[in-house]
Each structure stands twice: as structure tokens, then as C-alpha cells.
Amino acid sequence: MTFVYPNGERRFRSALLDWAAADVRLLLVMANSTAGATPAADFVSDIGTLDECDAAGYARTAITGRSVNVDTVNKVVALLAAQTDLPAFAAGSRPNIGAIVYQHVGADSANPVLLYLDAAPYFPFQAVGSPVRFLWNASGIVRYPLTAF
């Protein structure tokens, strides 16, 4: 189940997060993770069983090319990003079942979680030593009604 964490939504809607300027990153979680069942988490460390990817060569990766598009015709605010390329990494001990998009500010106890993604065509997958590319939806990673602001 792909969702916006409530604290992430609050940060988006109340401008506590400058989407275009903040250090926003992606981390992969494997089959034993409870991230998809922990929608009330505020920080990465709040996820009971993170089960982050343990593959050789894997690293948390910055999401770059971020911008905000305000569509006054359709009354929607869209958070956009360029494709995110993770470097090539080997297979981990379990399949990757999802990704967490979070704001990096330091330790996981201070890193707010923003989104949990586990939808096809990205997940699940087992790395095979090739780069992994996330092509974000061109209409926005997250979209909000303009009237909500």
C-alpha cells in the first residue's frame, strides 16, 4: 500500500518542508519490513522493523531535481522530481518490497518520513547487480488540492 505518512503530509501542507531545497532521500526496505504497516510513523526510527536493504553496494540515495508545480487551472499542487538512479548493487538477503522517501536531517530519530512506496512496476524486486532507476510520475510524486492550502 503506497501512502503519504501523516507527519509527511503535515510537513508538505504547512510548509515545514521546502520540497525544492530540502535534503530528500530514498531508502529501500526488504521483505521483513513493517514500514508498509506503520503509517503513523513520524521518523525513520519509529518503524518497528525497518529491514533496510542489506545488499553490497546499496546506499540511501538523494532525490534530485525537485520542484513544486502549482496548477491553478486544475487547482492542484504537484511535487515533482527528476528520475532517481540508485547505483548498481548486488542481491540482498531478501527481496526489496518498498521504499521510504524521507527528509534527511541527521540520525534516523530526526529524519521525518514522507512517503511509503510499494506499487508496481517498482516492487517487489531482487537486485541483480544493475543500477535501479525510479522514473517518477510526470504529474507529480505527490499531488494536493490547491484549495487545501
Side-chain angles (χ1 to χ4, degrees):
M1 176 175 83
T2 296
F3 57 85
V4 177
Y5 287 99
N7 190 40
E9 181 173 1
R10 182 182 64 80
R11 296 180 74 75
F12 291 136
R13 290 182 180 259
S14 62
L16 293 173
L17 171 73
D18 181 345
W19 177 253
D23 183 354
V24 177
R25 299 184 186 184
L26 179 137
L27 69 86
L28 296 176
V29 295
M30 298 186 301
N32 292 338
S33 176
T34 59
T38 317
D42 289 329
F43 301 96
V44 173
S45 62
D46 292 341
I47 297 166
T49 303
L50 185 60
D51 196 26
E52 187 169 359
C53 181
D54 62 3
Y58 161 78
R60 295 180 181 190
T61 302
I63 298 175
T64 60
R66 294 180 323 278
S67 62
V68 177
N69 180 45
V70 178
D71 179 347
T72 56
V73 173
N74 295 307
K75 298 186 180 342
V76 172
V77 174
L79 305 180
L80 307 168
Q83 72 185 30
T84 301
D85 294 323
L86 281 71
F89 57 94
S93 57
R94 289 171 298 291
N96 295 290
I97 61 161
I100 297 171
V101 175
Y102 69 98
Q103 180 184 8
H104 179 76
V105 295
D108 280 350
S109 60
N111 291 337
V113 289
L114 305 172
L115 310 167
Y116 177 73
L117 311 165
D118 67 355
Y122 299 119
F123 299 103
F125 76 90
Q126 182 67 281
V128 294
S130 301
V132 176
R133 173 170 288 166
F134 286 84
L135 297 171
W136 304 109
N137 188 319
S139 64
I141 296 175
V142 175
R143 294 170 55 91
Y144 287 108
L146 186 59
T147 56
F149 290 91

